[in-house]
Amino acid sequence: MKIIGITNVEKFLEVLDKCQGKIELVTSEGDRLNLKSKLCQYLALSKIFSEAKIDEIEIVASEPEDTKILLEYLIRG
């Protein structure tokens, strides 16, 4: 799932915390980083988040319920 235009990074991280399964960020090199890990969130996204806006990222949710949570966030903000 590609996510674009994240402007409220704090809210996005709160949504990730609500997810039960594995949520991975897919890098442009094809690596997958575990976004449920606070360390990975900090290391992998610190550069992106320092700009206070995420233009586009690709994430993979292992659980269908988590996909619903993420889609609700995208629709309702």
Side-chain angles (χ1 to χ4, degrees):
M1 156 187 325
K2 289 201 183 216
I3 298 179
I4 58 171
I6 296 173
T7 56
N8 186 341
V9 174
E10 188 174 311
K11 175 73 173 174
F12 179 65
L13 293 176
E14 288 175 13
V15 170
L16 290 177
D17 287 340
K18 292 179 184 177
C19 294
Q20 299 298 311
K22 188 175 9 173
I23 306 293
E24 298 173 315
L25 169 75
V26 180
T27 68
S28 58
E29 293 84 23
D31 296 322
R32 292 178 178 236
L33 304 171
N34 178 8
L35 288 181
K36 294 293 285 184
S37 161
K38 294 296 180 188
L39 180 60
C40 277
Q41 286 176 2
Y42 178 74
L43 294 174
L45 304 176
S46 63
K47 182 178 180 192
I48 296 170
F49 287 169
S50 68
E51 298 172 7
K53 182 180 179 192
I54 301 172
D55 289 327
E56 179 179 300
I57 62 170
E58 183 176 354
I59 60 173
V60 176
S62 64
E63 300 294 326
E65 296 82 19
D66 294 340
T67 301
K68 290 178 186 177
I69 291 170
L70 292 166
L71 288 174
E72 183 175 325
Y73 164 74
L74 294 173
I75 293 169
R76 297 198 171 129

